[in-house]
Amino acid sequence: MEHKIAEVIKDNDTFAITAHLGPEADAIGAQLGMKLILDSYGKTTYAVLNDFVPNNLKFLPAADSIITPDQLKADEIDAWFVVDCGQLNRVGDSLMRMI
């Protein structure tokens, strides 16, 4: 599995990363962690959530970069990462239509 993920990262340039609706610290932390890793590889990344970052988590590195689905052009995304989410439909309808 890790080889397939590495191939996806190597073979693509633009990524969107999301998590489940009503995200808490572990969801947002995983999302931002993945964003920062991909950024370090020189990739273009978008952290996308249906919800706003709670005030108590705005201190997290790159928390201010999280955007809403209406701010994203889905046709410009090469690949998506969905983190901290056991069922894809938990990302919400607007993101489901984009993924």
Side-chain angles (χ1 to χ4, degrees):
M1 177 76 136
E2 66 272 1
H3 298 291
K4 290 181 182 182
I5 294 170
E7 286 177 28
V8 169
I9 293 170
K10 180 180 165 236
D11 295 342
N12 293 284
D13 295 316
T14 305
F15 297 86
I17 308 107
T18 193
H20 59 78
L21 293 169
E24 65 285 89
D26 58 332
I28 293 173
Q31 179 186 35
L32 294 175
M34 178 60 77
K35 178 186 178 3
L36 294 171
I37 289 168
L38 293 170
D39 287 348
S40 76
Y41 286 114
K43 304 297 181 174
T44 300
T45 61
Y46 300 94
V48 188
L49 287 174
N50 280 304
D51 303 294
F52 293 103
V53 176
N55 286 334
N56 66 323
L57 299 177
K58 288 186 177 181
F59 72 93
L60 292 170
D64 59 345
S65 70
I66 294 176
I67 61 173
T68 56
D70 61 317
Q71 296 173 286
L72 182 69
K73 294 180 182 178
D75 59 337
E76 296 178 1
I77 304 302
D78 297 325
W80 284 79
F81 281 100
V82 180
V83 298
D84 194 54
C85 188
Q87 295 178 319
L88 189 55
N89 65 350
R90 290 191 62 214
V91 300
D93 291 340
S94 60
L95 284 171
M96 281 292 294
R97 288 189 291 274
M98 299 174 103
I99 298 172

